[in-house]
Amino acid sequence: DTEVTQTPKHLVMGMTNKKSLKCEQHMGHRAMYWYKQKAKKPPELMFVYSYEKLSINESVPSRFSPECPNSSLLNLHLHALQPEDSALYLCASSQDSSLPNYEQYFGPGTRLTVT
Amino acid sequence: GEDVEQSLFLSVREGDSSVINCTYTDSSSTYLYWYKQEPGAGLQLLTYIFSNMDMKQDQRLTVLLNKKDKHLSLRIADTQTGDSAIYFCAETDGNNRLAFGKGNQVVVIP
């Protein structure tokens, strides 16, 4: 199983809503990532979890709150978002983020629209 | 961060070869990668090359690395309609983060 799954596929939320994005992998990977991707742009790294601990936060606003309940799951909690936060949110996993060659497996993404 | 440059758009006829180019700035990158993103999908790792190699071939894909010029290219032989996608080159920075190029959209014309 080399699949990273993400739910929901699409999400529309208002600026006062609270919602969560979910990501799951069963490859035994110990590193998991959240990326944000705007249309026709490359992905931008948001967070890295390594062995279930947050290891990198790329100065992401606090309205985005990541959580790693266990080694297979990664959540992204959303609260009080802005319209400019509308984007494709990609989750990825890799065997170990500390190794120089680590193949990242990406999920299909959640298309988020903030109204 | 690293500055990875890519050209933006390539149109190619089915059956022809496609070549996508990329330049990078971090000469200490150990690995360089090519990712493919089809519409509405996540990124798929196509291939990677170790920095001490000049060339890597994997079925229809050929990766060329010119370390002196910090130039990376991806050649797709016998391009098919399923190859229509955005292609990103990427390198790992000193903290093992992936730094992506801007992406190159390939459109295959039947």
Side-chain angles (χ1 to χ4, degrees), chain A residues 11-32:
Chain A
L11 178 63
V12 179
M13 61 185 289
M15 289 189 282
T16 58
N17 292 159
K18 283 186 184 181
K19 296 285 184 184
S20 297
L21 309 185
K22 296 187 184 301
C23 174
E24 191 166 2
Q25 56 88 13
H26 294 288
M27 294 177 276
H29 288 173
R30 302 315 301 268
M32 296 186 77

PDB file of all heavy atoms in Angstrom, chain A residues 11-32:
ATOM      1  N   LEU A  11     -13.756  21.183   0.199  1.00  0.00           N
ATOM      2  CA  LEU A  11     -14.319  21.796   1.403  1.00  0.00           C
ATOM      3  C   LEU A  11     -14.560  23.268   1.138  1.00  0.00           C
ATOM      4  O   LEU A  11     -13.674  23.975   0.672  1.00  0.00           O
ATOM      5  CB  LEU A  11     -13.352  21.628   2.579  1.00  0.00           C
ATOM      6  CG  LEU A  11     -13.770  22.263   3.900  1.00  0.00           C
ATOM      7  CD1 LEU A  11     -15.046  21.629   4.429  1.00  0.00           C
ATOM      8  CD2 LEU A  11     -12.659  22.115   4.951  1.00  0.00           C
ATOM      9  N   VAL A  12     -15.802  23.680   1.436  1.00  0.00           N
ATOM     10  CA  VAL A  12     -16.137  25.099   1.373  1.00  0.00           C
ATOM     11  C   VAL A  12     -16.489  25.525   2.791  1.00  0.00           C
ATOM     12  O   VAL A  12     -17.303  24.886   3.450  1.00  0.00           O
ATOM     13  CB  VAL A  12     -17.330  25.359   0.430  1.00  0.00           C
ATOM     14  CG1 VAL A  12     -17.670  26.849   0.406  1.00  0.00           C
ATOM     15  CG2 VAL A  12     -17.021  24.852  -0.977  1.00  0.00           C
ATOM     16  N   MET A  13     -15.846  26.581   3.260  1.00  0.00           N
ATOM     17  CA  MET A  13     -16.116  27.028   4.621  1.00  0.00           C
ATOM     18  C   MET A  13     -16.141  28.541   4.697  1.00  0.00           C
ATOM     19  O   MET A  13     -15.473  29.234   3.902  1.00  0.00           O
ATOM     20  CB  MET A  13     -15.090  26.458   5.596  1.00  0.00           C
ATOM     21  CG  MET A  13     -13.660  26.858   5.352  1.00  0.00           C
ATOM     22  SD  MET A  13     -12.483  26.032   6.459  1.00  0.00           S
ATOM     23  CE  MET A  13     -12.842  26.811   8.024  1.00  0.00           C
ATOM     24  N   GLY A  14     -16.933  29.030   5.648  1.00  0.00           N
ATOM     25  CA  GLY A  14     -16.976  30.457   5.886  1.00  0.00           C
ATOM     26  C   GLY A  14     -15.841  30.872   6.804  1.00  0.00           C
ATOM     27  O   GLY A  14     -15.166  30.035   7.414  1.00  0.00           O
ATOM     28  N   MET A  15     -15.645  32.158   6.900  1.00  0.00           N
ATOM     29  CA  MET A  15     -14.510  32.675   7.668  1.00  0.00           C
ATOM     30  C   MET A  15     -14.660  32.462   9.165  1.00  0.00           C
ATOM     31  O   MET A  15     -13.680  32.535   9.903  1.00  0.00           O
ATOM     32  CB  MET A  15     -14.299  34.157   7.347  1.00  0.00           C
ATOM     33  CG  MET A  15     -13.757  34.385   5.945  1.00  0.00           C
ATOM     34  SD  MET A  15     -13.266  36.084   5.648  1.00  0.00           S
ATOM     35  CE  MET A  15     -14.860  36.832   5.380  1.00  0.00           C
ATOM     36  N   THR A  16     -15.862  32.160   9.627  1.00  0.00           N
ATOM     37  CA  THR A  16     -16.053  31.933  11.062  1.00  0.00           C
ATOM     38  C   THR A  16     -16.122  30.445  11.417  1.00  0.00           C
ATOM     39  O   THR A  16     -16.231  30.081  12.574  1.00  0.00           O
ATOM     40  CB  THR A  16     -17.342  32.618  11.552  1.00  0.00           C
ATOM     41  OG1 THR A  16     -18.451  32.095  10.806  1.00  0.00           O
ATOM     42  CG2 THR A  16     -17.248  34.129  11.368  1.00  0.00           C
ATOM     43  N   ASN A  17     -16.052  29.594  10.414  1.00  0.00           N
ATOM     44  CA  ASN A  17     -16.179  28.155  10.654  1.00  0.00           C
ATOM     45  C   ASN A  17     -14.910  27.566  11.237  1.00  0.00           C
ATOM     46  O   ASN A  17     -13.811  28.116  11.111  1.00  0.00           O
ATOM     47  CB  ASN A  17     -16.483  27.416   9.344  1.00  0.00           C
ATOM     48  CG  ASN A  17     -17.850  27.723   8.784  1.00  0.00           C
ATOM     49  OD1 ASN A  17     -18.095  27.543   7.603  1.00  0.00           O
ATOM     50  ND2 ASN A  17     -18.760  28.178   9.634  1.00  0.00           N
ATOM     51  N   LYS A  18     -15.094  26.390  11.862  1.00  0.00           N
ATOM     52  CA  LYS A  18     -13.963  25.551  12.245  1.00  0.00           C
ATOM     53  C   LYS A  18     -14.111  24.225  11.517  1.00  0.00           C
ATOM     54  O   LYS A  18     -15.169  23.594  11.600  1.00  0.00           O
ATOM     55  CB  LYS A  18     -13.992  25.257  13.754  1.00  0.00           C
ATOM     56  CG  LYS A  18     -13.538  26.366  14.640  1.00  0.00           C
ATOM     57  CD  LYS A  18     -13.492  25.880  16.089  1.00  0.00           C
ATOM     58  CE  LYS A  18     -13.133  26.999  17.026  1.00  0.00           C
ATOM     59  NZ  LYS A  18     -13.057  26.546  18.418  1.00  0.00           N
ATOM     60  N   LYS A  19     -13.071  23.824  10.837  1.00  0.00           N
ATOM     61  CA  LYS A  19     -13.098  22.556  10.114  1.00  0.00           C
ATOM     62  C   LYS A  19     -11.741  21.884  10.263  1.00  0.00           C
ATOM     63  O   LYS A  19     -10.760  22.512  10.681  1.00  0.00           O
ATOM     64  CB  LYS A  19     -13.382  22.781   8.629  1.00  0.00           C
ATOM     65  CG  LYS A  19     -14.746  23.368   8.312  1.00  0.00           C
ATOM     66  CD  LYS A  19     -15.851  22.342   8.468  1.00  0.00           C
ATOM     67  CE  LYS A  19     -17.190  22.940   8.058  1.00  0.00           C
ATOM     68  NZ  LYS A  19     -18.308  21.986   8.285  1.00  0.00           N
ATOM     69  N   SER A  20     -11.680  20.607   9.853  1.00  0.00           N
ATOM     70  CA  SER A  20     -10.414  19.875   9.895  1.00  0.00           C
ATOM     71  C   SER A  20     -10.186  19.107   8.608  1.00  0.00           C
ATOM     72  O   SER A  20     -11.127  18.558   8.031  1.00  0.00           O
ATOM     73  CB  SER A  20     -10.410  18.893  11.065  1.00  0.00           C
ATOM     74  OG  SER A  20     -10.506  19.569  12.298  1.00  0.00           O
ATOM     75  N   LEU A  21      -8.940  19.076   8.185  1.00  0.00           N
ATOM     76  CA  LEU A  21      -8.527  18.233   7.079  1.00  0.00           C
ATOM     77  C   LEU A  21      -7.821  17.019   7.664  1.00  0.00           C
ATOM     78  O   LEU A  21      -7.090  17.134   8.655  1.00  0.00           O
ATOM     79  CB  LEU A  21      -7.556  18.980   6.145  1.00  0.00           C
ATOM     80  CG  LEU A  21      -7.987  20.355   5.645  1.00  0.00           C
ATOM     81  CD1 LEU A  21      -6.960  20.888   4.645  1.00  0.00           C
ATOM     82  CD2 LEU A  21      -9.367  20.331   5.056  1.00  0.00           C
ATOM     83  N   LYS A  22      -8.030  15.878   7.006  1.00  0.00           N
ATOM     84  CA  LYS A  22      -7.457  14.646   7.538  1.00  0.00           C
ATOM     85  C   LYS A  22      -6.578  13.973   6.479  1.00  0.00           C
ATOM     86  O   LYS A  22      -6.866  14.031   5.283  1.00  0.00           O
ATOM     87  CB  LYS A  22      -8.556  13.691   7.977  1.00  0.00           C
ATOM     88  CG  LYS A  22      -9.378  14.235   9.130  1.00  0.00           C
ATOM     89  CD  LYS A  22     -10.348  13.219   9.668  1.00  0.00           C
ATOM     90  CE  LYS A  22     -11.213  13.829  10.761  1.00  0.00           C
ATOM     91  NZ  LYS A  22     -10.416  14.354  11.902  1.00  0.00           N
ATOM     92  N   CYS A  23      -5.549  13.319   6.964  1.00  0.00           N
ATOM     93  CA  CYS A  23      -4.590  12.624   6.100  1.00  0.00           C
ATOM     94  C   CYS A  23      -4.216  11.316   6.780  1.00  0.00           C
ATOM     95  O   CYS A  23      -4.034  11.278   8.009  1.00  0.00           O
ATOM     96  CB  CYS A  23      -3.353  13.500   5.895  1.00  0.00           C
ATOM     97  SG  CYS A  23      -2.006  12.701   5.000  1.00  0.00           S
ATOM     98  N   GLU A  24      -4.079  10.274   5.989  1.00  0.00           N
ATOM     99  CA  GLU A  24      -3.759   8.960   6.560  1.00  0.00           C
ATOM    100  C   GLU A  24      -2.814   8.197   5.639  1.00  0.00           C
ATOM    101  O   GLU A  24      -2.945   8.265   4.408  1.00  0.00           O
ATOM    102  CB  GLU A  24      -5.046   8.155   6.768  1.00  0.00           C
ATOM    103  CG  GLU A  24      -4.878   6.900   7.584  1.00  0.00           C
ATOM    104  CD  GLU A  24      -6.207   6.318   8.045  1.00  0.00           C
ATOM    105  OE1 GLU A  24      -7.267   6.870   7.690  1.00  0.00           O
ATOM    106  OE2 GLU A  24      -6.176   5.312   8.762  1.00  0.00           O
ATOM    107  N   GLN A  25      -1.849   7.508   6.239  1.00  0.00           N
ATOM    108  CA  GLN A  25      -0.970   6.622   5.464  1.00  0.00           C
ATOM    109  C   GLN A  25      -0.690   5.378   6.298  1.00  0.00           C
ATOM    110  O   GLN A  25      -0.625   5.452   7.520  1.00  0.00           O
ATOM    111  CB  GLN A  25       0.342   7.342   5.071  1.00  0.00           C
ATOM    112  CG  GLN A  25       1.161   7.919   6.217  1.00  0.00           C
ATOM    113  CD  GLN A  25       2.154   6.969   6.853  1.00  0.00           C
ATOM    114  OE1 GLN A  25       2.450   5.903   6.303  1.00  0.00           O
ATOM    115  NE2 GLN A  25       2.682   7.345   8.011  1.00  0.00           N
ATOM    116  N   HIS A  26      -0.516   4.259   5.593  1.00  0.00           N
ATOM    117  CA  HIS A  26      -0.241   2.994   6.273  1.00  0.00           C
ATOM    118  C   HIS A  26       1.007   2.355   5.704  1.00  0.00           C
ATOM    119  O   HIS A  26       1.074   1.138   5.527  1.00  0.00           O
ATOM    120  CB  HIS A  26      -1.452   2.060   6.135  1.00  0.00           C
ATOM    121  CG  HIS A  26      -2.658   2.562   6.852  1.00  0.00           C
ATOM    122  ND1 HIS A  26      -2.762   2.567   8.225  1.00  0.00           N
ATOM    123  CD2 HIS A  26      -3.805   3.124   6.393  1.00  0.00           C
ATOM    124  CE1 HIS A  26      -3.922   3.089   8.587  1.00  0.00           C
ATOM    125  NE2 HIS A  26      -4.572   3.439   7.497  1.00  0.00           N
ATOM    126  N   MET A  27       1.998   3.209   5.409  1.00  0.00           N
ATOM    127  CA  MET A  27       3.255   2.706   4.863  1.00  0.00           C
ATOM    128  C   MET A  27       4.336   2.607   5.946  1.00  0.00           C
ATOM    129  O   MET A  27       5.484   2.309   5.642  1.00  0.00           O
ATOM    130  CB  MET A  27       3.733   3.637   3.737  1.00  0.00           C
ATOM    131  CG  MET A  27       2.787   3.619   2.542  1.00  0.00           C
ATOM    132  SD  MET A  27       3.281   4.758   1.244  1.00  0.00           S
ATOM    133  CE  MET A  27       2.558   6.286   1.844  1.00  0.00           C
ATOM    134  N   GLY A  28       3.966   2.924   7.175  1.00  0.00           N
ATOM    135  CA  GLY A  28       4.958   2.897   8.244  1.00  0.00           C
ATOM    136  C   GLY A  28       5.900   4.084   8.204  1.00  0.00           C
ATOM    137  O   GLY A  28       6.965   4.059   8.846  1.00  0.00           O
ATOM    138  N   HIS A  29       5.522   5.111   7.456  1.00  0.00           N
ATOM    139  CA  HIS A  29       6.373   6.301   7.381  1.00  0.00           C
ATOM    140  C   HIS A  29       6.342   7.067   8.687  1.00  0.00           C
ATOM    141  O   HIS A  29       5.298   7.153   9.349  1.00  0.00           O
ATOM    142  CB  HIS A  29       5.906   7.205   6.239  1.00  0.00           C
ATOM    143  CG  HIS A  29       6.220   6.647   4.880  1.00  0.00           C
ATOM    144  ND1 HIS A  29       5.766   7.233   3.713  1.00  0.00           N
ATOM    145  CD2 HIS A  29       6.964   5.587   4.501  1.00  0.00           C
ATOM    146  CE1 HIS A  29       6.215   6.529   2.680  1.00  0.00           C
ATOM    147  NE2 HIS A  29       6.943   5.534   3.142  1.00  0.00           N
ATOM    148  N   ARG A  30       7.478   7.665   9.040  1.00  0.00           N
ATOM    149  CA  ARG A  30       7.563   8.366  10.317  1.00  0.00           C
ATOM    150  C   ARG A  30       7.608   9.881  10.126  1.00  0.00           C
ATOM    151  O   ARG A  30       7.754  10.616  11.115  1.00  0.00           O
ATOM    152  CB  ARG A  30       8.776   7.891  11.110  1.00  0.00           C
ATOM    153  CG  ARG A  30       8.772   6.386  11.373  1.00  0.00           C
ATOM    154  CD  ARG A  30       7.422   5.842  11.838  1.00  0.00           C
ATOM    155  NE  ARG A  30       6.937   6.441  13.044  1.00  0.00           N
ATOM    156  CZ  ARG A  30       7.174   5.943  14.275  1.00  0.00           C
ATOM    157  NH1 ARG A  30       7.878   4.832  14.408  1.00  0.00           N
ATOM    158  NH2 ARG A  30       6.682   6.546  15.347  1.00  0.00           N
ATOM    159  N   ALA A  31       7.560  10.339   8.892  1.00  0.00           N
ATOM    160  CA  ALA A  31       7.511  11.779   8.624  1.00  0.00           C
ATOM    161  C   ALA A  31       6.258  12.089   7.815  1.00  0.00           C
ATOM    162  O   ALA A  31       5.934  11.379   6.862  1.00  0.00           O
ATOM    163  CB  ALA A  31       8.744  12.235   7.855  1.00  0.00           C
ATOM    164  N   MET A  32       5.564  13.146   8.205  1.00  0.00           N
ATOM    165  CA  MET A  32       4.366  13.569   7.484  1.00  0.00           C
ATOM    166  C   MET A  32       4.390  15.079   7.329  1.00  0.00           C
ATOM    167  O   MET A  32       4.943  15.794   8.166  1.00  0.00           O
ATOM    168  CB  MET A  32       3.093  13.100   8.198  1.00  0.00           C
ATOM    169  CG  MET A  32       2.978  11.574   8.246  1.00  0.00           C
ATOM    170  SD  MET A  32       1.427  10.970   8.916  1.00  0.00           S
ATOM    171  CE  MET A  32       0.309  11.217   7.522  1.00  0.00           C
TER     172      MET A  32
END
